[in-house]
Amino acid sequence: MTLTQLACFLAVARTGHFTKAAREVHLAQPSLSRQILALEKSLGASLFHRARGNIALTAAGEALLPLATRMLADEELAYREIAELTGLRRGRVRLGAPPSLCVSLVADLLERYLAAYPGIALNVNESGSRALVDALTGGLVDMALIVSNEDRGEAALEVTPLLREDLVVVSSAAADPLTARGELTLDELASYPLVMFHRGYDLRAATDAAFQRAGLTPRVAVEGAEMEGVLRFVERGLGVAVVPSLVAAHRPGLRPVRLKAPELSRTISLARRVDVQPTHASRAMQDMLIAVVDDMVAEGTHGLTRL
């Protein structure tokens, strides 16, 4: 049984005439007759009473009629649904990103993406890079922005470096303890009260590792917060913090100071599974992400280097 055979069957049932039905489905009358005979053979039953000048449905034809109507309607719906998906009028993208990118790069990306494709549903998984790698391999997100300063050993993932981002020291713009400083060494930073992320946070691990390599012990004023908490605490003057340059650029209540000797940075990469073909909506988001990153670098946003 084929959809063409069902279309021929419905045309004959509607018109009550093989020749008229053939014109309706754009076939020669003998070809339509062969389609009907093949359908009857596959079903093992006659579908029409064929009397001179009178074509009527048999009991089998009457039973098939609503089923064939629904099957062809489903075919039309399938074509329409796929056309909407490929035309980016409908669909879904599940994006993973660390909190530090959700308040900067991802916010810009989603604003631009929804303006271009308002029919696409977006789901954001805000987690650390390690958790996002697990979400990717587990099929919980379609793609993820991750911090990839080290090899995570995931052969199932394609990881494409996009951006190198400087880490900077931020203090309160209202009660700025770093007013006279244009830059700061790690040794000098160790003397200031620090607001630190919780242990296990990518930025906390990078900061701890830098102090450890330099043989320094930082002054920790507050620790254990997530990104938004750290930024709020710094704005209130509770201490200074090491954060990505993009985060500092989006917070007028913070004053950034460049780190030197050593400079700290992180690599932002796009990760996706190599065994999963991206949907049209996901591919459009990847393309738009590249455009947003390129625009940020072209605008001279501080502390960004395109990779």
Side-chain angles (χ1 to χ4, degrees), residues 33-289:
S33 295
R34 285 194 295 272
Q35 294 287 346
I36 296 298
L37 288 173
L39 178 59
E40 290 177 325
K41 183 178 180 180
S42 69
L43 293 173
S46 295
L47 299 173
F48 296 103
H49 296 295
R50 295 166 174 84
R52 184 178 297 275
N54 184 27
I55 302 295
L57 289 170
T58 63
E62 290 177 351
L64 179 61
L65 184 62
L67 299 174
T69 301
R70 185 164 65 247
M71 291 170 71
L72 287 178
D74 287 343
E75 178 200 24
E76 182 181 348
L77 177 61
Y79 278 116
R80 190 164 61 248
E81 291 278 335
I82 298 303
E84 287 191 352
L85 291 172
T86 56
L88 295 174
R89 292 190 293 272
R90 291 179 59 252
R92 180 186 67 171
V93 179
R94 301 171 301 168
L95 174 67
S100 58
L101 289 177
C102 284
V103 299
S104 54
L105 174 59
V106 171
D108 292 345
L109 169 64
L110 298 189
E111 180 182 17
R112 188 181 301 189
Y113 189 86
L114 283 177
Y117 310 113
I120 304 298
L122 299 179
N123 179 270
V124 177
N125 183 329
E126 186 177 1
S127 302
S129 295
R130 295 174 182 84
L132 291 174
V133 166
D134 292 339
L136 268 174
T137 56
L140 300 178
V141 294
D142 303 312
M143 68 186 80
L145 288 164
I146 63 171
V147 178
S148 54
N149 284 338
E150 58 188 41
D151 182 8
R152 297 183 183 274
E154 290 290 344
L157 300 183
E158 177 185 275
V159 179
T160 305
L162 298 176
L163 196 66
R164 184 168 63 248
E165 181 183 16
D166 290 344
L167 302 184
V168 297
V169 181
V170 291
S171 60
S172 169
D176 187 2
L178 305 178
T179 300
R181 311 303 299 264
E183 56 187 16
L184 205 64
T185 67
L186 201 63
D187 185 66
E188 291 167 332
L189 175 62
S191 66
Y192 287 90
L194 276 168
V195 178
M196 302 284 275
F197 297 96
H198 64 76
R199 296 189 184 276
Y201 208 85
D202 290 321
L203 288 168
R204 173 64 183 267
T207 305
D208 284 345
F211 280 121
Q212 187 173 12
R213 285 192 299 268
L216 297 170
T217 301
R219 284 178 57 198
V220 179
V222 183
E223 67 176 335
E226 296 278 353
M227 176 59 67
E228 185 60 28
V230 166
L231 299 178
R232 290 286 186 184
F233 296 158
V234 173
E235 286 173 339
R236 295 292 183 94
L238 301 183
V240 302
V242 178
V243 302
S245 58
L246 274 177
V247 171
H250 285 73
R251 303 288 291 224
L254 299 175
R255 180 179 182 272
V257 174
R258 191 170 69 89
L259 262 175
K260 67 167 188 173
E263 296 179 345
L264 298 182
S265 65
R266 65 177 187 171
T267 298
I268 307 302
S269 298
L270 177 65
R272 68 175 191 86
R273 283 176 52 168
V274 297
D275 61 339
V276 176
Q277 188 71 18
T279 63
H280 285 77
S282 295
R283 192 177 298 279
M285 176 163 284
Q286 292 179 35
D287 292 343
M288 190 164 288
L289 171 64

